[in-house]
Amino acid sequence: MSEEQGKATWDPKIIAIVCNWCTYAGADLAGISRIQYPPNVRIVRVPCTGRINPFYIVRALQEGADGVLVSGCHPGECHYLTGNLSARRKFAMLKKFLDYIGVESDRTTFTWCSASEGERFAKVVRGVTEKVRSVGPARRLVKSL
Amino acid sequence: MEAIERNLREEAKRLLAEKKVDVIVGYEAGTLPLTATPTFITDPAEAERLVWNPLCVHNLAKYVHDVITQHRNSQKRVKPESRTRKVVGVVARGCTSRSIILHLQERQYGREDIVIIGVPCQGYIDRKKLSVSLNGEEVLSGTIEGDEIKVMTGTGEKRLRLSDVLADNCITCRFNNPIISDVSLGEPASAMKAEEEFNEVNAFEQLSSDERWAYFEKEMAKCIRCYACRQACPSCYCPECFVEQSRPQWVGIGGDASDTQVFQIMRIFHMVGRCVDCGSCIAVCPMGVDLRKFLKKLDKDAFELFGSRAGSSLEDPPVLSTFKEHECEDFIYNP
């Protein structure tokens, strides 16, 4: 496939790193409830957003993800009590830093989504897919193979 | 400066003679003209070797950590009842004392393991700036007289203003006096231009995303991944660094530009709330990568978002090891 063709058929690839207790269950609920959302997200389940090494996000972008979505329990509702609060500080710094070095800020998204919010999860995925689609295919930080 | 140096030698001699410390980590005159190098003094008679001047570049907290860790590891093979403790005296200016605070907060050693000899600091000389102002000519000999440097090169004598060749991080330093110290030498130094410390970052933020990426790409393309920045950084003390881990392999080791970028992003990001802006990584970088522009951004964000400055107080917890219930909620995506 030529590069031109590749661009024409491009569809965003988004890595969603979600916590086991809230957002993963929320995504499950969206599925059970047959709520339609774009098939562009690849979900990676982790125990808690506090478990996510910022490296996962940078690495996903390097390996060719067009966007990264991180979602966990709402603040105060973490299964491990404070995992998402520690994570919030980390991600606030990371998002600003990636934007600062020139990786478009629309590529990284952080949000909260509980187990009962299937509708919200679908809305988040729709929104993130649109955001990533508008910035186009990842060009920066991507490993050329 | 001379008075501080004299006091420093006396103090070091006294601490060693009274067996308050086992070793003093300080600076001595380097083998090349206009350089200073870290030194380890164990004999009171050798305390005369110590120097304190604007050539002292290194952040000695790195060496304190190394000495204590090595000693602790060596004691593992000794019977518990005959294990010894090693007390390290360290010549510390502002940034060194901040690094020591970070080590203490991260439980790398105890307060009783170190004796901090605090020295006021008016900045150190950036070798790269010096080299540029001498048009790359070799320094044959040189002396510092007040706020002037007299340098002898192949083409004759040159006089430079000290303030013209100070390192960038020193010019805008906010913490040029030690934050904690057991022994203080000399009067506190006068403030540097601390109000300008974020100017460079602010200016860079005004550029467009494309320009910022172009700059980042250009700077990182210089990096040869010698890891000198990591070796010199007092906050980089992991027994095994992520760049050398192979299971999983975090960073590719090939020549791809993105591997270098990812290495630098992650090393820099490990410095959130841990970079004291001592300039060690920049001083040792053989390629002159502009690391400070990116490290300082983290300092600025941590200060603006969480009101925290790395190592500025023994009581404040490191920025990423604490949280508040309601803070920085504006970056959370809400569809």
Side-chain angles (χ1 to χ4, degrees):
Chain A
M1 191 163 53
S2 76
E3 204 176 321
E4 283 305 305
Q5 277 174 319
K7 263 183 199 155
T9 55
W10 173 78
D11 211 25
K13 267 205 280 293
I14 298 162
I15 303 296
I17 311 178
V18 302
C19 95
N20 179 34
W21 304 100
C22 292
T23 310
Y24 193 80
D28 205 20
L29 182 65
I32 297 169
S33 323
R34 302 196 171 198
I35 303 166
Q36 295 297 312
Y37 63 82
N40 302 60
V41 286
R42 276 73 166 161
I43 292 182
V44 179
R45 180 170 63 151
V46 292
C48 176
T49 42
R51 168 69 182 84
I52 300 169
N53 187 332
F55 215 147
Y56 295 174
I57 297 161
V58 176
R59 199 56 207 275
L61 292 170
Q62 190 199 5
E63 298 288 325
D66 298 305
V68 180
L69 163 69
V70 174
S71 180
C73 309
H74 285 274
E77 293 171 17
C78 178
H79 185 76
Y80 306 98
L81 305 179
T82 58
N84 56 357
L85 298 179
S86 311
R88 184 167 60 187
R89 280 203 165 192
K90 245 187 287 184
F91 298 148
M93 296 292 292
L94 183 70
K95 191 170 166 71
K96 272 180 171 264
F97 183 66
L98 287 179
D99 184 32
Y100 181 77
I101 61 169
V103 177
E104 301 90 338
S105 100
D106 280 346
R107 295 206 188 277
T108 45
T109 309
F110 301 95
T111 190
W112 315 122
C113 182
S114 82
S116 59
E117 294 177 322
E119 187 54 59
R120 180 182 155 90
F121 182 78
K123 239 160 91 185
V124 165
V125 173
R126 273 181 227 129
V128 169
T129 311
E130 269 328 294
K131 271 206 304 181
V132 173
R133 207 187 293 279
S134 67
V135 275
R139 289 164 294 125
R140 296 169 183 173
L141 210 64
V142 181
K143 193 164 190 166
S144 51
L145 288 171
Chain B
M1 207 59 86
E2 285 75 29
I4 295 172
E5 203 169 80
R6 220 167 27 245
N7 287 345
L8 170 63
R9 289 171 183 163
E10 269 169 36
E11 206 54 59
K13 204 179 284 174
R14 185 182 65 81
L15 287 169
L16 285 166
E18 290 175 6
K19 302 252 183 287
K20 291 254 173 63
V21 297
D22 298 296
V23 57
I24 297 254
V25 185
Y27 305 93
E28 68 177 332
T31 46
L32 293 170
L34 278 187
T35 57
T37 185
T39 186
F40 300 84
I41 310 262
T42 47
D43 180 2
E46 294 206 337
E48 292 303 316
R49 287 202 342 241
L50 289 170
V51 297
W52 175 248
N53 54 39
L55 303 168
C56 302
V57 173
H58 311 75
N59 187 333
L60 295 179
K62 177 78 184 179
Y63 299 90
V64 173
H65 189 277
D66 284 358
V67 167
I68 294 179
T69 323
Q70 265 172 31
H71 180 72
R72 195 184 293 140
N73 288 342
S74 75
Q75 294 299 303
K76 282 180 187 162
R77 277 161 278 158
V78 178
K79 276 189 257 167
E81 59 273 21
S82 40
R83 279 181 192 163
T84 56
R85 234 182 67 212
K86 194 167 197 169
V87 182
V88 181
V90 54
V91 180
R93 58 161 157 251
C95 43
T96 313
S97 77
R98 287 173 74 194
S99 286
I100 289 171
I101 289 178
L102 281 173
H103 287 162
L104 292 171
Q105 286 178 331
E106 291 168 357
R107 313 262 162 99
Q108 290 303 304
Y109 42 78
R111 187 71 182 82
E112 67 284 356
D113 292 326
I114 44 167
V115 172
I116 303 167
I117 308 169
V119 283
C121 174
Q122 292 281 23
Y124 60 76
I125 291 171
D126 183 337
R127 293 295 297 182
K128 293 186 185 96
K129 276 193 188 174
L130 184 66
S131 180
V132 168
S133 20
L134 297 174
N135 301 321
E137 288 172 47
E138 195 185 340
V139 179
L140 298 178
S141 68
T143 46
I144 296 169
E145 292 163 0
D147 51 4
E148 255 195 0
I149 324 170
K150 221 164 71 181
V151 191
M152 199 65 187
T153 66
T155 56
E157 193 188 272
K158 281 185 184 158
R159 281 174 175 275
L160 298 168
R161 289 240 313 276
L162 190 57
S163 53
D164 291 339
V165 288
L166 281 189
D168 288 337
N169 55 313
C170 296
I171 295 170
T172 59
C173 179
R174 188 177 287 277
F175 304 92
N176 54 339
N177 286 301
I179 289 162
I180 50 168
S181 59
D182 299 302
V183 185
S184 294
L185 304 177
E187 292 296 305
S190 53
M192 312 297 274
K193 291 181 196 155
E195 65 285 352
E196 292 173 16
E197 63 181 336
F198 297 133
N199 282 8
E200 202 186 328
V201 174
N202 291 338
F204 193 67
E205 279 171 354
Q206 298 307 314
L207 300 178
S208 72
S209 176
D210 290 332
E211 285 171 311
R212 278 176 295 172
W213 176 255
Y215 186 79
F216 180 76
E217 209 174 18
K218 180 185 105 221
E219 285 301 311
M220 295 313 150
K222 291 184 201 164
C223 174
I224 54 169
R225 284 179 70 178
C226 62
Y227 305 142
C229 44
R230 177 194 71 183
Q231 295 307 106
C233 177
S235 289
C236 274
Y237 55 70
C238 293
E240 196 187 2
C241 178
F242 71 93
V243 289
E244 271 124 19
Q245 281 175 354
S246 53
R247 231 187 269 174
Q249 188 182 40
W250 292 104
V251 194
I253 50 171
D256 195 280
S258 78
D259 284 336
T260 311
Q261 289 159 3
V262 166
F263 156 65
Q264 288 288 359
I265 290 175
M266 288 324 292
R267 199 197 84 80
I268 292 170
F269 199 72
H270 276 163
M271 292 304 138
V272 176
R274 303 176 70 233
C275 174
V276 299
D277 201 13
C278 65
S280 292
C281 49
I282 296 141
V284 295
C285 182
M287 308 309 286
V289 179
D290 185 5
L291 295 168
R292 186 162 181 266
K293 191 160 267 139
F294 305 108
L295 286 164
K296 201 67 188 163
K297 165 69 175 170
L298 297 175
D299 193 10
K300 182 183 173 227
D301 282 350
F303 182 56
E304 284 180 353
L305 291 175
F306 313 113
S308 159
R309 298 302 298 265
S312 61
S313 132
L314 209 46
E315 286 77 37
D316 288 352
V319 65
L320 287 191
S321 66
T322 182
F323 52 81
K324 289 194 188 99
E325 201 184 335
H326 298 288
E327 63 182 1
C328 59
E329 275 151 349
D330 50 339
F331 82 103
I332 302 293
Y333 177 63
N334 265 314

